[in-house]
Amino acid sequence: MEYRVLGKLEVLRDGETVDLGTHRQRSLLALLLTTPNKVQSTDRIIDSLWGDDVGSDRQNALWVYVSGIRTALEPDREKRTEGTVLLTRSPGYLVNVDPDQIDAVRFERLVSEGRSLIDTDPHAASLVLGEALAMWSGRPYEDFAYEAWAQTEIARLEELRLEAVEARVDADLLRGMSRELVSELESLVREHPLQERLTGQLMLALYRSGRQAESLRSYQSLRSRLGEELGLEPSTELRRLEEQIVTGDDSLV
């Protein structure tokens, strides 16, 4: 079995897509996948899936969805048994999985591995981080982007994805790929205009590409945005990078 949440929820069994049923039934599985192998209480599940909607017998509906998910995931399980995946455990339910069956978990493992390689083997780091980023097909838990229960996990994974991109760029800068990175970094800065680390990476890539004036303009643009929108100055680290670029510090080459 393979569980994909870095995009729309998808479950594959022997390479074939599993029909998970209705949106709320899919929501149940997605909710449990946010805490693999950990019990979520029935009360929390009901509150997450139904919120203030009290117009139905939510407990009976939950039993129906649990049964439906069990049938979808393990169609050959013995009748009237819970199977081996979606388990009933006091005070609620859990999804019993090998964590590596979930793409989000594999993504986090690869990001950690890639980061650890940056200083010693930037080429390998770039490959590992690129493999991790290639697992994404859209926003995490895309089908449930407006569900309150999904917001924290979506935000966490999206922040980790940006950190993975930044780490991969660090590795590629160490590989001497400044010219190749400029266009990508310009797009990333437009997408995340207040992210200092990305602007710093763009400044460095531009400088190493012989575009000192553009590098300094990138800094000034960020400084203006920070001042106008947040009332802040760039960090000490970024100001130091600007000084090094102005003086043509040899350590930047």
Side-chain angles (χ1 to χ4, degrees), residues 38-214:
K38 294 182 180 179
V39 176
Q40 292 198 33
S41 71
T42 299
D43 287 345
R44 180 180 188 275
I45 293 169
I46 288 175
D47 287 344
S48 296
L49 298 188
W50 280 273
D52 296 329
D53 178 9
V54 295
S56 59
D57 186 339
R58 299 183 295 181
Q59 180 64 74
N60 281 334
L62 177 58
W63 287 333
V64 171
Y65 296 146
V66 167
S67 177
I69 288 294
R70 285 172 171 162
T71 297
L73 297 180
E74 298 184 276
D76 299 325
R77 82 186 194 288
E78 190 175 333
K79 288 186 178 181
R80 302 185 185 223
T81 66
E82 64 180 10
T84 62
V85 180
L86 179 47
L87 306 180
T88 302
R89 295 291 184 271
S90 181
Y93 300 93
L94 65 82
V95 171
N96 176 43
V97 294
D98 177 344
D100 233 31
Q101 291 178 295
I102 304 172
D103 60 355
V105 176
R106 294 200 309 278
F107 169 74
E108 292 190 61
R109 176 176 56 76
L110 288 172
V111 170
S112 179
E113 180 182 337
R115 281 172 165 167
S116 70
L117 291 168
I118 289 176
D119 292 331
T120 57
D121 192 343
H123 180 76
S126 180
L127 290 175
V128 172
L129 290 163
E131 180 184 349
L133 291 163
M135 297 168 65
W136 288 63
S137 61
R139 293 193 68 194
Y141 294 92
E142 189 172 302
D143 323 50
F144 317 104
Y146 300 104
E147 305 282 353
W149 60 263
Q151 297 303 308
T152 299
E153 184 66 0
I154 290 172
R156 186 186 74 83
L157 288 169
E158 288 186 330
E159 181 177 352
L160 183 58
R161 180 181 185 275
L162 181 58
E163 291 173 3
V165 170
E166 292 169 340
R168 199 220 76 229
V169 169
D170 281 341
D172 287 341
L173 284 169
L174 287 171
R175 295 170 62 203
M177 298 179 63
S178 295
R179 292 181 187 276
E180 295 89 337
L181 288 169
V182 167
S183 179
E184 178 187 3
L185 282 166
E186 287 175 336
S187 296
L188 286 167
V189 168
R190 284 194 294 271
E191 186 178 351
H192 305 280
L194 300 177
Q195 193 76 15
E196 289 197 20
R197 185 176 175 188
L198 289 173
T199 293
Q201 290 174 323
L202 175 59
M203 290 167 62
L204 192 57
L206 286 166
Y207 178 73
R208 289 177 175 173
S209 301
R211 299 161 67 176
Q212 183 185 32
E214 291 174 73

Side-chain angles (χ1 to χ4, degrees), residues 236-252:
T236 301
E237 182 180 358
L238 203 64
R239 294 199 302 270
R240 171 62 178 155
L241 177 59
E242 186 226 13
E243 292 173 4
Q244 290 177 294
I245 290 171
V246 167
T247 60
D249 192 324
D250 290 341
S251 67
L252 295 183

